Amino acid sequence: MSDSQVAILERVQQFLARQHGLFIDGAQQPSRSDKRLTVWNPATGEAIATTADANSADVDSAVMSAWRAFVDRRWAGRLPAERERILLRFTDLVEQHSEELAQLETLEQGKSINISRAFEVACTLNWMRYTAGLTTKITGQTLDVSIPLPPGARYQAWTRKEPVGVVAGIVPWNFPLMIGMWKVMPALAAGCSIVIKPSETTPLTLLRVAELAVEAGIPEGVFNVVTGSGAECGAALTSHPHVAKVSFTGSTQTGKQIARTAADRLTRVTLELGGKNPAIVLKDADPQWVIEGLMMGSFLNQGQVCAASSRIYIEAPLFDTLVTGFEQAVKSLSVGPGMSEAAQINPLASRAHCDKVAAFLHDAQQHHAELIHGNEGPGGQGYYIRPTLVVNPDARLRLTREEVFGPVVNLVRVADGEEALRLANETEYGLTASVWTRDLSQALGYSDRLQAGTVWVNSHTLIDPNLPFGGMKQSGTGRDFGTDWLDGWCETKSVCVRY
């Protein structure tokens, strides 16, 4: 692998050097807190920027800014076509600054610059344009009603969709830009105002995108960003009395706490939570497709993907062939910093998360699990974990039950597809799954029986704006994407007129 790295743009360097505040009322604002958060480069472990560590007073200021914008109807009151044009202009600006945003994403999160360009920016643009188009597609229904009183009276009735109000968006650190826009865009398309809190480890891209939103013509107060810890900033945001909806992506444990808080005020919530996602490989599957597809499905973004395939159940006749193929593929992966275009595996997002993943592997080693490792990262710096296959792990190991969220994949031999299906469904999670076969009947049969919000056949992890996404069981509640996406950001009002 070449050691050459992408040159950091001058405007990226200038952005990193700023004294970042909060984005409230359409502009950078100083925090009331004197505490700061350090942003680290995962490839080196070095500090690259600092941001405000917002307190509850800062959160109140941001939410009230969003509330005033909503009550004044400075956004919701505009014609749908006008809002659509502004959101499309916003998308064009993000595209114009795509390399800048991709570099910021790689520098703060660690992922490959290739992934930042292709997924974080290019795919985000697809979602932004799709969602902008929904702005002019919000519809209600006309209803025939049979109200009998008073005798002889006649009625007309219909429903209309209205924006829910102020939305709190809580964004994780694995895909900060893309998942951030999955919250910002439907909120704005529906006519809501939003306060976004990125992860404290990856706050930079959303701060930059907020500036582009104002440049595009989104009114002040409609799109606000607060940076800070989950313990104070996040808790204050999700419990604020003027927040009408919380959209959260992250761990199941935190999602449950948000749901408990929301229950006290009946705040609407959409929760996209953890997964321990299975792939069932039947004996007739194409080995080349399986290895190609599940290497991507398992190791994209170092496995830091909620939908990643982390448990691969393989029918016995194909098991040895695929273990050999996966071993060759894993050992061929080059490991290095995200700003190297040649590196295929990059550092994890933070020191804390790196230590967490390492603890899973240490537990497996202590219990004599069979581990197949790929290449090591650069010595002495950065948050690297070698890509690892775990062959037929004991069911009592932590990494067989818990979400590792790293470059670690279990390969499990099963007698037949029925055993694979039973093991696949024996989990508290239900986010995604896949089945690999050349038999259409088996493909449809297993996809019906897998307990997951999304099931792929001969593919895994790849998603689309038109494909609804969300979890079953403890993997979440609600759905994002698709033509009905804005329903979750609107109230349904019934209107009944006697005439």
Side-chain angles (χ1 to χ4, degrees):
M1 184 190 77
S2 171
D3 291 331
S4 63
Q5 296 190 37
V6 173
I8 300 175
L9 297 173
E10 182 178 351
R11 60 179 178 268
V12 171
Q13 298 178 46
Q14 293 171 348
F15 187 81
L16 294 175
R18 287 194 205 172
Q19 183 75 2
H20 295 285
L22 309 172
F23 198 87
I24 301 173
D25 266 334
Q28 286 277 335
Q29 306 282 356
S31 171
R32 292 173 170 83
S33 168
D34 58 2
K35 295 187 293 183
R36 304 287 295 174
L37 294 170
T38 301
V39 181
W40 307 92
N41 182 348
T44 63
E46 297 174 346
I48 56 172
T50 67
T51 58
D53 188 0
N55 59 24
S56 57
D58 291 319
V59 171
D60 182 67
S61 177
V63 174
M64 295 313 296
S65 169
W67 173 249
R68 288 190 296 271
F70 181 72
V71 171
D72 293 349
R73 295 184 58 78
R74 67 184 72 157
W75 178 245
R78 297 193 179 196
L79 293 174
E82 183 182 3
R83 286 190 279 119
E84 180 186 49
R85 283 195 297 272
I86 292 172
L87 292 178
L88 289 172
R89 190 181 311 138
F90 177 30
T91 306
D92 289 342
L93 285 170
V94 170
E95 185 169 31
Q96 290 168 25
H97 292 266
S98 59
E99 180 64 15
E100 174 188 352
L101 293 169
Q103 290 193 13
L104 284 172
E105 196 80 337
T106 289
L107 290 169
E108 69 174 346
Q109 201 275 341
K111 64 167 59 75
S112 167
I113 187 65
N114 302 317
I115 299 300
S116 290
R117 290 165 176 163
F119 283 82
E120 287 283 15
V121 180
C123 287
T124 294
L125 293 170
N126 292 339
W127 260 275
M128 292 180 74
R129 292 192 170 102
Y130 180 93
T131 318
L134 296 179
T135 306
T136 53
K137 314 300 186 299
I138 299 172
T139 62
Q141 295 177 304
T142 57
L143 307 171
D144 285 334
V145 295
S146 301
I147 300 172
L149 297 174
R154 301 176 67 188
Y155 293 88
Q156 288 281 349
W158 61 88
T159 62
R160 56 175 283 110
K161 299 287 186 180
E162 298 181 352
V164 70
V166 176
V167 174
I170 310 294
V171 180
W173 45 257
N174 58 333
F175 288 97
L177 175 60
M178 180 157 42
I179 297 179
M181 290 300 99
W182 292 350
K183 302 181 187 311
V184 169
M185 290 299 290
L188 300 188
C192 301
S193 299
I194 190 166
V195 180
I196 278 278
K197 191 198 91 66
S199 166
E200 52 264 49
T201 62
T202 55
L204 299 176
T205 46
L206 286 177
L207 285 171
R208 181 68 184 102
V209 164
E211 297 175 341
L212 299 179
V214 171
E215 185 178 342
I218 294 171
E220 62 184 32
V222 172
F223 179 3
N224 306 273
V225 181
V226 290
T227 58
S229 69
E232 182 171 3
C233 178
L237 180 56
T238 55
S239 62
H240 197 285
H242 282 87
V243 167
K245 175 187 172 70
V246 177
S247 176
F248 170 80
T249 301
S251 72
T252 296
Q253 180 181 0
T254 303
K256 288 179 178 179
Q257 181 57 53
I258 288 172
R260 283 189 285 267
T261 300
D264 288 339
R265 295 187 297 103
L266 296 180
T267 304
R268 289 140 190 82
V269 292
T270 299
L271 303 174
E272 198 266 278
L273 308 178
K276 188 68 176 173
N277 307 299
I280 294 176
V281 182
L282 301 179
K283 60 188 177 184
D284 71 323
D286 184 321
Q288 182 177 347
W289 277 33
V290 171
I291 293 169
E292 177 187 78
L294 288 179
M295 284 296 294
M296 174 181 286
S298 301
F299 293 105
L300 177 69
N301 195 23
Q302 293 62 253
Q304 298 168 130
V305 182
C306 59
S309 46
S310 59
R311 299 180 288 147
I312 303 176
Y313 298 106
I314 305 169
E315 277 198 294
L318 201 56
F319 184 78
D320 291 339
T321 297
L322 286 183
V323 169
T324 299
F326 278 117
E327 179 176 5
Q328 292 172 349
V330 163
K331 289 184 175 180
S332 73
L333 295 174
S334 57
V335 182
M339 291 298 280
S340 168
E341 293 178 319
Q344 297 164 296
I345 292 290
N346 314 111
L348 300 190
S350 69
R351 168 55 62 193
H353 187 59
C354 185
D355 291 345
K356 179 181 176 182
V357 175
F360 279 104
L361 292 175
H362 178 73
D363 174 67
Q365 289 172 328
Q366 291 295 102
H367 290 86
H368 309 292
E370 181 182 351
L371 305 180
I372 299 174
H373 294 295
N375 295 314
E376 293 187 350
Q381 61 179 3
Y383 312 141
Y384 291 93
I385 293 287
R386 288 186 289 174
T388 302
L389 305 172
V390 188
V391 182
N392 287 319
D394 190 295
R396 293 169 293 183
L397 290 179
R398 289 179 57 213
L399 56 72
T400 66
R401 307 184 310 274
E402 301 176 33
E403 184 179 34
V404 178
F405 217 63
V408 179
V409 181
N410 300 340
L411 303 179
V412 182
R413 182 197 301 266
V414 293
D416 53 35
E418 287 301 311
E419 181 185 7
L421 182 67
R422 176 179 59 80
L423 293 171
N425 286 337
E426 283 183 356
T427 175
E428 64 185 10
Y429 297 112
L431 188 58
T432 73
S434 62
V435 58
W436 299 75
T437 178
R438 302 185 223 205
D439 186 319
L440 178 60
S441 178
Q442 290 203 98
L444 296 178
Y446 280 96
S447 64
D448 286 346
R449 298 166 67 194
L450 279 162
Q451 297 167 4
T454 298
V455 178
W456 292 278
V457 175
N458 297 328
S459 178
H460 200 112
T461 302
L462 301 176
I463 54 178
D464 185 85
N466 207 37
L467 187 69
F469 186 80
M472 296 181 179
K473 298 190 276 190
Q474 294 193 35
S475 286
T477 179
R479 293 292 183 272
D480 288 317
F481 317 157
T483 56
D484 299 326
W485 193 1
L486 300 193
D487 288 354
W489 309 78
C490 293
E491 297 280 19
T492 299
K493 177 182 286 183
S494 296
V495 180
C496 185
V497 177
R498 178 188 171 188
Y499 63 99

